[in-house]
Amino acid sequence: MVVLPVLFLLGSLFLCSHVEAQSTTELLKQAAFQWKGSLTCAKWDCNCAFNRQSSCCCAANELYQLEDDTFTRIKYLWQHISSLSRRVQALKGSIRVAFKATIDPNLGTTILGTTERCFGPFNTNVPIPYAIVTLDDDRGYNPSLGVFIAPRAGVYVFSFTVYSSVEENGRLYHKVQLVWNGRPIVSVWENNREDSEDSATQVVILELQRGDQVYVELLSGRRICKYLEYNIFTGYIIYPYINE
């Protein structure tokens, strides 16, 4: 008869201890929720600390956010790389613009009273028809007119070399200029009796729109003599404007 009251008492103690333990946990949990001071971890999810492993709670949200941000950045980076790759392929594959041409020696005529064969003089400015073409990618250069017509918008490099030679005691008298859409850009010239020959080269970078015209002209009253094939006109595209 003594055993039953003892078991009942022990059972009551265990029950009370369990209730007390639960109450203490709830009190700690509520205290944590109501805490206003600084925490050991930034943005610490207190509920996580009571319901999951405490070792992963402090940084879990930040790590998830970092993972999402990183994925988004990688996605956009891949899109940009793909776009850049397509543009590079377009530049390498389909856009080839370049030309090189020289004057045909047969273009010269004999100057009266001399043995010199010269191109010019004329009573007006004349585009030089560099008729011997050794390179013309994209067919932008017209050898009959000596005019380059830009097949697409972009940045181009042009150069021309002028060479003239006269008899001893003769007079070098030439002026040649590069013209862009009717506007002179750069020129070379010579006017003396000190030398019997002379050469000069000009190089220029131009931003062209599709259809722009570039050519080299000999100015009125001037002439280029002998070895006309040494006179060269070249051009090529540095980079195009893809969207044009």
Side-chain angles (χ1 to χ4, degrees):
M1 296 298 293
V2 178
V3 176
L4 291 176
V6 172
L7 290 175
F8 179 79
L9 179 59
L10 289 175
S12 299
L13 289 174
F14 281 120
L15 182 59
C16 291
S17 298
H18 180 65
V19 171
E20 183 180 357
Q22 285 184 336
S23 299
T24 302
T25 299
E26 288 299 323
L27 288 174
L28 290 173
K29 187 174 181 179
Q30 293 300 323
F33 287 153
Q34 296 173 7
W35 177 254
K36 302 299 184 182
S38 60
L39 300 175
T40 56
C41 297
K43 301 180 181 178
W44 184 17
D45 185 350
C46 295
N47 187 54
C48 174
F50 283 99
N51 294 282
R52 295 182 175 86
Q53 296 180 14
S54 59
S55 60
C56 70
C57 292
C58 293
N61 291 336
E62 287 78 0
L63 288 174
Y64 294 151
Q65 185 63 47
L66 178 61
E67 183 180 19
D68 291 342
D69 292 344
T70 302
F71 175 77
T72 301
R73 292 177 182 177
I74 291 175
K75 182 177 68 174
Y76 286 126
L77 181 61
W78 176 254
Q79 291 174 348
H80 292 321
I81 291 175
S82 299
S83 175
L84 180 61
S85 177
R86 289 192 295 270
R87 297 183 66 182
V88 169
Q89 290 302 319
L91 288 172
K92 291 174 58 179
S94 62
I95 302 172
R96 299 173 58 188
V97 183
F99 73 93
K100 176 187 176 184
T102 60
I103 298 179
D104 184 348
N106 297 319
L107 192 64
T109 57
T110 303
I111 300 297
L112 186 63
T114 72
T115 59
E116 296 174 352
R117 289 181 60 83
C118 302
F119 178 71
F122 304 101
N123 59 8
T124 186
N125 295 354
V126 174
I128 300 175
Y130 298 87
I132 300 177
V133 180
T134 55
L135 175 67
D136 190 13
D137 284 339
D138 213 1
R139 305 298 178 186
Y141 177 72
N142 185 326
S144 299
L145 301 176
V147 177
F148 174 78
I149 302 175
R152 65 182 307 124
V155 176
Y156 291 76
V157 171
F158 295 95
S159 69
F160 65 95
T161 297
V162 178
Y163 178 86
S164 185
S165 177
V166 296
E167 295 178 346
E168 188 176 354
N169 298 320
R171 179 186 178 189
L172 285 170
Y173 189 61
H174 60 263
K175 184 174 183 180
V176 175
Q177 61 188 15
L178 183 137
V179 179
W180 170 28
N181 289 342
R183 179 164 59 98
I185 303 299
V186 293
S187 64
V188 300
W189 67 90
E190 189 62 82
N191 181 13
N192 70 66
R193 295 181 181 274
E194 298 173 0
D195 304 317
S196 61
E197 63 178 1
D198 185 81
S199 66
T201 299
Q202 279 281 16
V203 180
V204 63
I205 297 177
L206 297 175
E207 184 181 37
L208 303 185
Q209 300 300 317
R210 184 176 181 180
D212 281 3
Q213 298 184 7
V214 178
Y215 57 92
V216 177
E217 68 178 7
L218 178 68
L219 267 66
S220 172
R222 308 295 180 114
R223 65 182 184 270
I224 303 171
C225 300
K226 290 186 180 179
Y227 308 108
L228 296 180
E229 64 272 21
Y230 293 170
N231 290 264
I232 305 170
F233 182 30
T234 67
Y236 60 90
I237 193 168
I238 301 177
Y239 56 86
Y241 295 146
I242 299 297
N243 296 327
E244 294 292 334

